């Protein structure tokens, strides 16, 4: 293992690489990780010297606050390699800003742009050979922060660990997706942490999603906590509804995550002269649209799958099939977005950033 220092980051290179052991044609999403990881600790009120080192487990005290009080946040990003072998990030500034927004909400320290961006860029450069070319191939990036301070007193931690790990991925395909509209469980509540990418948000979804799976559905469309009449998110994604020729999606709020893919699709749709209406969407109007035939599409939007078309939904034990459409808006927007991300189409929006 060799040691170098670049722009204040200590780099400990792995003596050997795992890359030849990886079947890049048959990757399970988020299951394989590259040779290195980025790590920076927060102690004594300030961030310490960052390091990039071989990917490996690390030790934590059993009383670390992350285990007892759930101070844990993360982001999901991707990097892409174009036909000329250049590596590109997609709107990384949006992920950086949202990461710190989550940190503030969870009483955790904000990460400086230098640590976040410089660390990410150097990590990607070091493990650049793991990023494969081709539309659908990408490097999934997981920045995260956990509370590492000791003690089981119910206070925010004094110490934290910020890390970035990388996972090569291929096209994410989940098959036909049928969803159940939530009538009792909620993803988030006003005044809560729904707008933060806090680990606990996702843990709380697992049980109602498991119940939906057992009933034959792949995901849940979450409704508001107060009345269960407003449609909010689909599984771990933002959600869009196409009624006639207009795309509807709920506005971001304390309950709804400000998704980077969501805001990108809204801008892309407008640029393609597709009508978009950002407003509360009622369960009752979705059911009525399904009955009268004006509901054309439902799709989720997020970093992992980019766009995930939904084939039908169930509400109050009644299932509604969506029509088969020759040229879905969901696929039109997905193709446009992935072409920009992979530099197959001009980025007139200035979203892509070279590593």
């Amino acid at each position: 293992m060799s040691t170098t220092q670049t722009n204040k980051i200590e780099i400990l290179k792995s003596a050997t690489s795992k890359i030849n052991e990886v079947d890049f044609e048959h990757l399970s999403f988020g299951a394989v990780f590259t040779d290195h990881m980025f790590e920076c600790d927060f102690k004594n009120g300030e961030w310490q010297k960052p390091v990039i080192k071989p990917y490996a487990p690390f030790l934590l005290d059993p009383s670390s606050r992350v285990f007892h009080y759930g101070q844990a946040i993360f982001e999901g990003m991707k990097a892409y390699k174009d036909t000329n072998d250049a590596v590109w990030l997609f709107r990384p500034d949006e992920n950086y800003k949202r990461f710190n927004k989550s940190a503030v909400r969870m009483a955790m320290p904000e990460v400086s742009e230098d640590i976040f961006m410089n660390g990410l860029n150097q990590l990607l450069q070091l493990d650049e050979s793991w990023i494969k070319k081709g539309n659908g191939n990408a490097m999934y990036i997981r920045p995260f922060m956990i509370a590492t301070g000791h003690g089981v007193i119910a206070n925010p931690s004094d110490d934290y660990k910020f890390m970035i790990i990388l996972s090569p991925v291929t096209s994410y395909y989940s098959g036909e997706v049928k969803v159940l509209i939530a009538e009792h469980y909620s993803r988030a509540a006003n005044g809560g942490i729904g707008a933060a990418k806090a680990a606990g948000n996702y843990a709380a979804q697992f049980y109602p999603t498991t119940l939906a799976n057992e009933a034959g559905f792949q995901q849940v469309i979450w409704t508001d906590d107060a009345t269960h009449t407003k449609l909010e998110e689909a599984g771990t994604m933002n959600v869009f509804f196409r009624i006639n020729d207009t795309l509807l999606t709920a506005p971001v709020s304390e309950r709804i995550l400000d998704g980077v893919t969501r805001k990108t699709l809204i801008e892309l749709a407008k640029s393609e002269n597709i009508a978009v209406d950002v407003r509360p969407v009622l369960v009752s109007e979705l059911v009525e649209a399904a009955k009268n035939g004006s509901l054309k599409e439902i799709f989720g939007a997020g970093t992992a799958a980019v766009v995930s078309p939904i084939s039908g939904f169930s509400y109050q034990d009644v299932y509604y099939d969506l029509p088969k459409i020759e040229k879905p808006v969901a696929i039109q927007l997905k193709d446009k977005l992935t072409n920009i991300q992979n530099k197959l189409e001009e980025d007139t929006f200035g979203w892509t950033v070279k590593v």
Side-chain angles (χ1 to χ4, degrees), residues 179 181 217 286-287 290 295 298 311-315 318-320 322:
V179 298
I181 293 181
F217 301 93
L286 188 73
V287 170
L295 177 62
I298 305 175
S311 61
F313 71 92
S314 179
Y315 180 64
V318 178
Y319 183 74
Y320 301 89
L322 269 67

Side-chain angles (χ1 to χ4, degrees), residues 1 12 14 16 18 33-39 51-60 123 127 144 146 161 163-166:
M1 184 167 64
L12 308 173
S14 176
T16 59
K18 304 171 292 187
F33 296 91
T34 65
D35 291 322
H36 300 90
M37 61 187 188
F38 176 88
E39 181 177 296
V51 60
I52 292 175
K53 59 186 183 181
Y55 184 96
F58 56 90
L59 294 174
L60 285 177
L123 182 61
D127 283 344
F144 66 98
I146 58 173
K161 186 180 292 291
M163 300 189 68
I164 306 173
I165 54 178
L166 306 176

Side-chain angles (χ1 to χ4, degrees), residues 24-94:
F24 284 90
E25 299 298 319
H26 302 91
L27 291 169
S28 296
F29 190 90
V32 174
F33 296 91
T34 65
D35 291 322
H36 300 90
M37 61 187 188
F38 176 88
E39 181 177 296
C40 190
D41 290 313
F42 184 88
K43 294 181 178 179
N44 302 315
E46 60 183 12
W47 289 102
Q48 306 299 301
K49 184 182 181 65
V51 60
I52 292 175
K53 59 186 183 181
Y55 184 96
F58 56 90
L59 294 174
L60 285 177
D61 190 285
S63 72
S64 294
R65 300 285 173 86
V66 64
F67 299 136
H68 302 274
Y69 302 110
Q71 278 185 291
I73 60 172
F74 68 93
E75 271 297 325
M77 312 167 64
K78 281 181 179 175
Y80 309 84
K81 183 175 284 185
D82 67 18
T83 55
N84 297 314
D85 289 327
V87 176
W88 299 83
L89 289 164
F90 184 76
R91 307 189 77 172
D93 55 320
E94 295 290 344

